[in-house]
Every structure is written in structure tokens, then in C-alpha cells.
Amino acid sequence: MARNEMWQSPISPGLSWYQATVGERPTYAALDGSRACDVAIIGGGYTGLQAAYHLARSGVSVVLIEACRFGDGASGRNGGQLGTGQRWWPEELEEKIGYQRSKALFDVAEAAKRHLLDFASEHQIEIDFVPGQLNVAHKASYECDYRENAEIAAQRYDYPHISFMDKKETQERLGSKRFHCGVRDVGTGHIHPLKLLIGLARVAANAGADIFEMTKATAIRQGGGKVTIETERGTITADRALIACDGHIDGLEPVTASHVMPIRSFIGATVPLDRHPEVLPGGEAVADSRFVVRYFRRFEGRLLFGGREAYTADNPRDISQHIRRQIGEIYPGLKDIEITHAWGGSVGITMPRQLFVREVMPGVTSIGGYSGHGVMLSNYCGKLYAETVLGKSGDLDLFKSLDIPAFPGGAWMRAPLLFLALSWFALRDKF
């Protein structure tokens, strides 16, 4: 029986514009009874479903469980921007880990971008890809950094698709006078994330993966060479397991929980901008230079704007009010625009805003902490996990080698300390 399409996610506030535009969302059964398999996967986002597909198509028996519905988490509700490279610019990573490792991670991210687009094309998943992304500076003092970013990308990272924009070009391409300069990236773009997620679940199921929604993992343990995952209505026994919960790890596994912290991010969709052709006339997506980043795009005629991060699990009473205020700062002519849909969700971040990949117990790998840069990386990391299991690739080791410290303070003080630290960065964004 199909569930009501006005379904409200129990883990993410608000009804998204994405959900409103996909029609009847497919449903999958909950796990009922115990199962044995080669690989068990906890989490039905991009990472878990990609891993399930690539394993199943190679003959590996897979059972995947998702606590809610496929698409209720960040994979179905995010900003849709692919980006380029890792969360930090390659020259920033280079200062920390050296050129060789930085270049390898950049190349993996480019492979991730190609994989996502090729996967959608191969499996006839209409993701509504729109090319182009602008990264813009909210402080004039950043101009030198932005000029160098375009040069370094071309000269040192073999990526000639980024060009510097001066103040005039930046303001023309945005239709806003709020930013001082930026870079334009024509080698990337943005998508409809829920359409990708729905198509990916279909492809994984068709490949032979047993995928279940509305099935929450309540415990995971390892012993006797097997991994056991408990749920309310059955137990899964497997040779190995993947934890792919990102910002929804909760208390399931303590090592992951100490390294990946959930934060809330919120998005609003406006009415169509028919009377505002000056807003993003080229159709590019935008991300700005704030630590608490604002990200937005003109998509199917509307402005989709994300800009309020909350470093707690709480939700604002009126998401649209906060989003509209930030829209008005960038586009004064839109300060009173109607927001038809407003929604949010949890994003998993790490201390250095780099991906957390670790074997947290024998046979159990955890992948998460995409830190707002996960659309293409999460899809690819699911594929890389499968290739690791199949003995085909060791590229996932590039992420395993990253130094990802735990958040300080232990279970009780971790969230308050994070709130204080990131509130400080948010304050610095204003000056």
C-alpha cells in the first residue's frame, strides 16, 4: 500500500520542494524476520545504496536497512550541488597533507563527479543536471585567494574549468551587489537529489540487493567472525557490514558517533522568479565564502536557498522566516518573496570537515562526515567500498589515511563545545 505522499519525515523537518515534484514516491517493505547475507548495510542514502548496487551486481548477497523512508535523510533533501574537489580547496589541503595526497584526493573527486553523471545516464535516471557553479567571496580581502584558486586549479591540478570573476562579473552573474569577487566553475553543476536517490534505490533492488525501509538498527556487534545487526523485527547476520548513517548515527556505534557530529541545515524554495530575470541568469549554483556557508541556485524557475546551519538537533519554529531574511540580504528585491516549501535535515560533519572512513570493529567499516560536500563523494564512496570488498580497488584507503580526530568533550560535552566553536566562526563571518 502506498504511503501518503504528504509523508513527513520523522528525522527531518518540513516538506521539501523535491518531494512535491517527484510524484508518487516508491515504497519498500520493512524487514520482517531474520536474514543472513555476505554484507549488511545500515543506511539507505547514496553511500549505502551505491554499495548495495555494486555488490549485488557482482553476486554478493546484500541486505540493506534504512530507519525511515529512502530519501528522508540528507541524500534526498540536500542542496543538490556537486562541487569540485574535496570540502576544502586543493591548495588548502596541500598545506596540510602535501601535494601528492592532495592531488590524489582531487582526482578521486573528479572520478566521483564522472561516476555520478555516468551512472545516472546509464540507468536512465533523470536527475535534471544543470551545469555551472559560482563560488563567491563575501569579503573583499579574499580576492587574492580567489585569483590564485583559478590559477592553481589549472596549473597544478589539471582542471582548466575554473575562471576568476572580478566584482563586475560576479555581480552580473548573481544579479546581486552583495559579493566582491568569485570563481566560476563550468566543469560541475547541480541536480535534483531526490530523483537520483529514488532511481538509485530502484537500480539497487533490480540488481538483487534486498533493501528495506522503516527498519532501524538498534544494535551492532561482532563476534565469532560474524557481524550481527539487531532490529525491532529481526536480526541480520553477515560476514561484514557497512555503517552509512552520516548525520544519523545516534548512539548506534560509539567510534563513529565521536567523530561524526550532526548539524541541522535548512533550505527554502520560493515561488517562480518570473519577474526577476536578473537573478542568476546563467542558471549556476552558488556557494559563498562564509564558514557557515550560504548555498543557493535558480532551479526550474525558483530560487532554492540554503543558509542557516544550527549546531544542535533543534529545529526553528519557522524555517522560512530565517531563510527569507538571508535571501533579502543578498537580493533586496526578494526580501518579501513567498517561500512555498521550507525544509531541513541533518548533515554529518567532522572536526576538519574531511571524510571519516574507518574500520570501527573487525569487519565493520563506517563512512560518513561528508560535511556538506557529499552529493558526488557519497555516491562514489559507496562504489569504492564495494570495490574494496570485491578486491578491485584500494582508493578508499585515501580517505582512511586522513587524520580525523574525535570531537572533544566526550558524549556529554561534545555538542555544547561544538556549538560554541562554530558560533564563534559564524560571528567571524560577519566581520
Side-chain angles (χ1 to χ4, degrees):
M1 179 181 297
R3 300 186 184 98
N4 189 324
E5 278 309 306
M6 291 304 290
W7 165 264
Q8 172 61 65
S9 166
I11 59 173
S12 303
L15 298 172
S16 77
W17 177 81
Y18 303 133
Q19 181 173 325
T21 57
V22 297
E24 185 175 338
R25 191 154 41 130
T27 60
Y28 296 83
L31 179 68
D32 188 8
S34 295
R35 296 289 186 103
C37 60
D38 297 324
V39 179
I41 299 174
I42 304 172
Y46 294 147
T47 305
L49 287 169
Q50 282 281 357
Y53 163 74
H54 286 281
L55 288 167
R57 71 181 296 220
S58 296
V60 176
S61 62
V62 179
V63 175
L64 178 149
I65 56 173
E66 162 60 39
C68 298
R69 292 186 65 185
F70 296 125
D72 277 2
S75 291
R77 301 168 69 87
N78 60 73
Q81 300 192 31
L82 302 190
T84 291
Q86 303 294 322
R87 176 63 173 77
W88 300 113
W89 282 352
E91 57 268 36
E92 294 174 311
L93 274 182
E94 190 174 327
E95 291 181 0
K96 299 177 182 298
I97 62 177
Y99 172 75
Q100 185 175 2
R101 292 175 69 197
S102 177
K103 179 64 163 63
L105 286 167
F106 187 90
D107 291 345
V108 163
E110 278 302 286
K113 189 188 299 178
R114 291 191 297 271
H115 166 258
L116 188 155
L117 298 176
D118 290 347
F119 184 89
S121 176
E122 177 186 353
H123 297 285
Q124 299 181 324
I125 305 172
E126 181 50 68
I127 59 174
D128 301 340
F129 175 74
V130 179
Q133 184 184 46
L134 310 176
N135 286 281
V136 295
H138 76 293
K139 294 182 180 181
S141 59
Y142 291 170
E143 179 174 337
C144 182
D145 293 334
Y146 276 71
R147 285 186 182 275
E148 290 180 350
N149 175 249
E151 296 172 359
I152 290 170
Q155 296 172 8
R156 294 179 59 78
Y157 288 84
D158 303 320
Y159 191 78
H161 309 298
I162 294 178
S163 59
F164 175 75
M165 302 185 300
D166 61 16
K167 187 172 185 177
K168 181 175 182 293
E169 181 181 358
T170 300
Q171 294 181 351
E172 287 176 349
R173 291 196 181 279
L174 265 69
S176 168
K177 297 181 179 180
R178 182 66 181 82
F179 297 97
H180 299 276
C181 64
V183 292
R184 182 183 183 217
D185 187 346
V186 298
T188 190
H190 49 109
I191 66 168
H192 191 303
L194 184 56
K195 287 186 178 181
L196 174 60
L197 191 282
I198 290 171
L200 178 53
R202 168 180 56 81
V203 169
N206 289 343
D210 291 328
I211 64 175
F212 301 95
E213 56 184 14
M214 305 304 293
T215 304
K216 182 178 177 62
T218 57
I220 180 171
R221 62 181 184 273
Q222 200 277 343
K226 295 287 185 178
V227 180
T228 302
I229 299 168
E230 296 180 2
T231 77
E232 293 180 349
R233 298 180 64 181
T235 298
I236 306 167
T237 304
D239 295 327
R240 62 176 73 199
L242 169 64
I243 298 174
C245 302
D246 198 39
H248 295 283
I249 186 64
D250 299 324
L252 178 65
E253 195 286 306
V255 177
T256 306
S258 68
H259 289 79
V260 179
M261 175 76 70
I263 62 171
R264 286 297 209 192
S265 188
F266 304 96
I267 303 175
T270 71
V271 295
L273 302 178
D274 298 337
R275 292 185 290 178
H276 297 277
E278 75 284 358
V279 175
L280 294 171
E284 298 96 343
V286 183
D288 75 5
S289 57
R290 289 175 174 82
F291 187 88
V292 183
V293 65
R294 295 179 182 178
Y295 52 97
F296 49 99
R297 55 185 176 141
R298 188 171 186 143
F299 194 64
E300 297 192 11
R302 300 170 183 260
L303 183 66
L304 272 59
F305 192 101
R308 183 185 185 274
E309 290 181 348
Y311 301 104
T312 69
D314 298 331
N315 302 314
R317 292 182 179 179
D318 183 359
I319 297 172
S320 60
Q321 173 186 344
H322 298 280
I323 296 297
R324 187 183 295 108
R325 183 174 64 248
Q326 294 190 14
I327 290 174
E329 292 176 11
I330 297 173
Y331 295 107
L334 302 181
K335 64 182 179 65
D336 297 318
I337 196 165
E338 179 185 353
I339 293 178
T340 61
H341 300 79
W343 67 97
S346 291
V347 179
I349 68 168
T350 64
M351 281 281 286
R353 299 278 180 118
Q354 293 172 322
L355 185 58
F356 174 79
V357 180
R358 185 171 299 182
E359 188 173 30
V360 293
M361 62 181 73
V364 180
T365 298
S366 182
I367 303 177
Y370 292 102
S371 303
H373 198 69
V375 176
M376 62 185 189
L377 287 178
S378 59
N379 276 274
Y380 199 57
C381 282
K383 176 178 182 289
L384 291 182
Y385 172 80
E387 291 180 348
T388 299
V389 172
L390 297 168
K392 293 182 177 180
S393 170
D395 283 351
L396 197 63
D397 290 342
L398 289 170
F399 296 102
K400 288 182 180 179
S401 68
L402 294 172
D403 181 17
I404 310 296
F407 285 94
W412 292 105
M413 290 300 296
R414 191 180 306 136
L417 288 174
L418 177 69
F419 175 80
L420 290 173
L422 297 183
S423 295
W424 163 247
F425 280 108
L427 183 63
R428 287 183 58 189
D429 282 339
K430 298 180 180 180
F431 299 98

